Each structure stands twice: as C-alpha cells, then as structure tokens.
Amino acid sequence: MRPIDALVNALSDARVLTDPDVIDSYARDRTFLEPGKPLAVVLATSRDDVVTTMRWATEHRVPVVPRGGGTGLAGASVAGDGSVILSLARMTAIRELSPADEIAVVEPGVITADLDKAAREHGLMYAPDPSSYEISTIGGNLATNAGGLRCVKYGVTRDSALGLEVVLADGRVLNTGRRTMKGVTGYDLTGLFVGSEGTLGVITAATVRLRRAPAAPPATFAADFSSLRDAGAAVSAIMAAGCQPSLMELLDRATLQAIDEWRNIGLEPGTQAMLIGQSDAADSQAAVERMERICTENGASFVAVSSSPQEADELIGLRRLAYGAKERQGACLVEDVCVPRSALAEMIGRIEAAAERHGVRIATVAHAGDGNLHPVFIFEHGTVEPPPEVWAAADEVFKDALELGGTLTGEHGVGLLKRRWLELESGPVAGELQRGIKAVFDPLGLLNPGKAI
C-alpha cells in the first residue's frame, strides 16, 4: 500500500484530495511563485485530523505545508514536490468569546473580519486588521505575525495572542500561554510560534485578546502634500504631539495615479503624497482636527476632514483601493520593509530613486505611523516571474532599508521570497540559533521546509 493510501484510510476520502488539478489550486498563494507537485491536500476539520496527519508524515518522512486562506505575499504556503498540503480553512469555530475576560478562543480557519464582527456584538473588537482581513484567516495572521492599518495604535498579531494550541511535527499537542493579560512562567513559546510561518508546529486554536470597541465612530482626515519629505515630517509631528492616531497611512504619487486611473479621484498635478489618518478616541473629532492643523503646519496643500461615518469610510476606502489598482496595471511583486519612523520619507525617496535607476515601476504605500512600507514592483502581465531589473531594484530597496536601521519584513514574513536577503539582517549567529530552534521542534525538517529561516 502506498503511504498516501494509509493517510486516506486514516482520515477518509472526503478529507484527502489527490486529483492533481485540485491540488494545484491549493498549492499557491498570492505570489507569482510556481509550486511543486504535492502528493495530496488534507482538508482538516479538527485538531485530531492534524494530529493524524502529522503522525503519518513523521512515520513516512513526508513534508507538510500548513495553509490558511492562501492570501500570503511571501510564498510561505507555496507547496513543494512530494509534500502534503494541510489546509486549516475548514476549522472555523469560535470556540469561546468571553466579554468578561475580553478574550476569544478561535480555530485557525476563522476569517479575521468574522472574529471582529462577532466581538463587536459584545461591544468589543479584534484589533489586528491586515488589508486582506475579509479573506485572510487567524491562523495565517498568526503564522506571519500580520499587522494592518490599526497596528499604529494596537500593535501586530503577536500583541493580541495570549495562548496557542499547537500540534508538533510528531503529532504531540502543545498548549502555550494563558488566558490572562499577564504571565511570565517559562519561555514565551506563544511569541515564538507567532511569526514562525508554520515551520515549528501547526496552530489549531488560539486564545486572543479582544479590546473595547470605540464608543463613537472614528473621525478621519486625508491630506495632500507636494513633497514626500513634508508628509514624513507631518507623520513625525503628529506622533510626537501625542495624538495617538488609530490609523496613519501614506500613499505615494505612483499609487495615487493608479487609483485615479481606475476610480477618477481627482488627483491634483502637484500632489506627491497623501496622508490618511484616523482617531477612534473618545474625542476623535477634536483629535483629527488637531492632526489637520499639524499637517497644514508641515506643508499640506489640502486637508479634508470627515464630518460623518460615511465620509470617514470613503476616505479609508481610498487606502483599501491601493492594491487592486496596482494589480490592474500589471503583475505585482509586493514587498514589505520597515524603517524607523523618522526615516520614512528618506526610504520612500530611495525607493523612487531605485525605480528610476533601474527603469522599474514601483508604487508605495506605508503604514506611516510605524514606518512599515509596501513597495509594489509592477511588471508586465503574464510574465512568469519578475524580470532581472525588478530583482535588482528590490535588492537595492532591501539594502537601503537595512542601512536606515530597518528590517526586511514588517508583517508579510520571509517565506520563500525574502530568503535571498535574510543573511544581510540576521547574521551568522542568529541564523545558527534559529536553525537550532527549528531542530528542537522539527528534527526531521518536515514542517514547511525551506521557509522563513
């Protein structure tokens, strides 16, 4: 009997897919990367399915690639030859939602927006909101330590993860963390698994922190600048003034042009950047008006402040159009560097210089409040992978980010795409220690091999 037949018998035909065309649809993420030829897809519906799969994989020495919603942008869930894809998308239960403790216990296939919606029925919210929040899963967010638009105030996914249920490579079940807001017993294994991209274990449940939802609708502003440097100065001044925005997004001219060509937003010829900010504080309107004044003092040519929740949603909607507008213009290599906030304008300037030097189209948005930039390299539709000039420009962008005291990735993860630059940031000592940690949790190297480290 073939090894895969033993897995089919252990789980049932309904949960193991072996048709090559069906497998291929599960083997990809949102990158251009071509997958290998996996053996099968397991559609797990419970922790026991995951335990059975990992025990089988250990017995037969078969690599396993965990997968959530497939919305990743770094290649972390792209499947390799001879692997089994372990899909957690059907594990969608919100096992518990406790308003008294302000926590939820959720399975990895829960859609991020669905958890937030469930929390809001109790006057709470789930704070992390990656741009893909309507289609990405909690498991994928945990695997990459996703951030999002609200992370300037509420932090990234790790800041909301209190405890995990994890199935290890050999099928053992590990429970990490706690249900309390505080706890320092032993090493922080919860923090270790968050952001590990499925290379240390398979998350089958998470206890996450909920927060009190704002009592009133947030207020929003959008400011046009004729200079990136002025926009960057406004961001620094807003943060230094203690305004505590719940969102602070920067769009460069290339991004604004892409949106304008699609939706005709009336982009002015002299606008080089747009800053979109929001406050969800109790005095949100006053806070936004204060940010408006700071933008004007720092050279904004025009500032619009929302006067209703609908207008606030429309201004935020501009930011959420960014990626779709770029996809219309070509294939996209979506990158994710982070620099100190004070270096934000300098980094955008360097990205634009790299684009001009290599003849490449790059459109950049940034979670400006925390210095996280997403330069999107746009190239011809139908191209199998980015041409050499795109890789050359990307190489320059990553080196510039590190030179400015930044990092290769703020929230997308390393996956496959960033491994070529990993040594530049981590160095040999960190690399050796990370490989040692991997060996402790996954001595046979079966979990998502070739990713993250």
Side-chain angles (χ1 to χ4, degrees):
M1 183 170 64
R2 298 177 305 163
I4 196 65
D5 294 329
L7 181 61
V8 171
N9 291 339
L11 289 172
S12 86
D13 291 336
R15 296 181 189 152
V16 182
L17 309 176
T18 56
D19 181 276
D21 291 334
V22 176
I23 291 173
D24 186 71
S25 68
Y26 283 88
R28 304 169 182 273
D29 63 2
R30 295 188 74 182
T31 67
F32 56 84
L33 294 168
E34 281 295 314
K37 295 188 179 301
L39 298 174
V41 178
V42 173
L43 303 178
T45 58
S46 69
R47 183 190 72 183
D48 289 346
D49 289 345
V50 178
V51 169
T52 298
T53 301
M54 294 315 306
R55 286 176 177 170
W56 171 87
T58 295
E59 179 183 353
H60 296 281
R61 304 297 194 266
V62 176
V64 174
V65 179
R67 176 185 175 84
T71 62
L73 294 167
S77 60
V78 172
D81 289 334
S83 64
V84 163
I85 301 165
L86 179 54
S87 172
L88 306 164
R90 295 190 176 189
M91 295 181 65
T92 59
I94 298 177
R95 295 182 184 177
E96 178 186 353
L97 199 157
S98 171
D101 292 327
E102 297 186 358
I103 63 169
V105 181
V106 297
E107 293 185 347
V110 172
I111 299 296
T112 312
D114 290 345
L115 173 57
D116 186 51
K117 181 180 178 181
R120 287 179 186 271
E121 292 177 3
H122 300 276
L124 302 169
M125 71 176 189
Y126 180 64
D129 71 329
S131 295
S132 59
Y133 74 109
E134 293 180 320
I135 54 174
S136 65
T137 63
I138 296 295
N141 294 170
L142 289 162
T144 60
N145 193 24
L149 276 62
R150 287 196 293 250
C151 56
V152 62
K153 182 173 182 179
Y154 296 105
V156 292
T157 299
R158 183 178 283 117
D159 298 305
S160 293
L162 297 175
L164 302 173
E165 176 187 88
V166 182
V167 177
L168 300 177
D170 59 7
R172 288 180 296 164
V173 177
L174 170 68
N175 289 288
T176 77
R178 64 223 182 262
R179 294 169 60 92
T180 56
M181 293 298 117
K182 297 166 65 177
V184 292
T185 306
Y187 294 129
D188 181 10
L189 296 179
T190 303
L192 178 61
F193 279 102
V194 177
S196 64
E197 301 183 36
T199 61
L200 301 179
V202 182
I203 296 170
T204 52
T207 301
V208 297
R209 178 184 183 184
L210 304 177
R211 299 175 190 263
R212 190 61 49 186
T220 307
F221 77 86
D224 291 350
F225 291 87
S226 59
S227 158
L228 280 168
R229 195 163 296 280
D230 287 347
V235 171
S236 295
I238 286 169
M239 302 305 292
C243 295
Q244 292 189 311
S246 55
L247 179 151
M248 183 65 62
E249 299 290 301
L250 182 65
L251 293 75
D252 74 349
R253 180 161 184 87
T255 300
L256 294 168
Q257 284 178 322
I259 296 172
D260 191 53
E261 290 171 11
W262 183 22
R263 295 295 179 90
N264 189 24
I265 61 173
L267 178 64
E268 293 294 331
T271 299
Q272 295 301 312
M274 177 183 289
L275 188 62
I276 300 176
Q278 187 174 79
S279 172
D280 62 5
D283 59 344
S284 61
Q285 197 68 32
V288 162
E289 288 171 1
R290 186 181 180 195
M291 288 188 263
E292 174 193 17
R293 289 194 297 272
I294 292 172
C295 287
T296 301
E297 290 166 1
N298 282 274
S301 56
F302 174 77
V303 186
V305 176
S306 65
S307 58
S308 67
Q310 181 181 357
E311 286 186 5
D313 288 343
E314 288 173 355
L315 292 176
I316 298 300
L318 281 177
R319 168 62 180 86
R320 297 201 185 275
L321 288 172
Y323 185 60
K326 294 165 193 176
E327 281 191 313
R328 294 180 71 255
Q329 296 193 333
C332 295
L333 170 62
V334 184
E335 280 308 342
D336 164 45
V337 297
C338 194
V339 297
R341 198 165 52 230
S342 59
L344 182 71
E346 172 69 16
M347 187 64 217
I348 294 179
R350 292 196 185 195
I351 291 170
E352 292 184 337
E356 184 175 353
R357 194 157 32 247
H358 295 280
V360 173
R361 294 171 64 198
I362 308 177
T364 302
V365 297
H367 304 312
D370 53 24
N372 188 189
L373 302 100
H374 296 306
V376 178
F377 299 76
I378 303 171
F379 51 99
E380 188 176 353
H381 274 303
T383 307
V384 176
E385 68 170 62
E389 59 270 21
V390 167
W391 287 123
D395 185 62
E396 207 169 294
V397 165
F398 286 121
K399 289 177 179 177
D400 281 340
L402 294 177
E403 183 181 314
L404 291 172
T407 179
L408 297 171
T409 176
E411 56 187 7
H412 291 173
V414 173
L416 290 171
L417 281 179
K418 289 199 177 77
R419 289 189 71 211
R420 66 176 70 195
W421 296 286
L422 195 58
E423 187 70 17
L424 294 175
E425 180 173 344
S426 61
V429 175
E432 181 182 350
L433 289 172
Q434 291 185 57
R435 289 188 293 272
I437 292 169
K438 166 75 168 172
V440 168
F441 286 91
D442 182 20
L444 299 178
L446 300 179
L447 278 166
N448 217 8
K451 313 290 177 55
I453 65 170

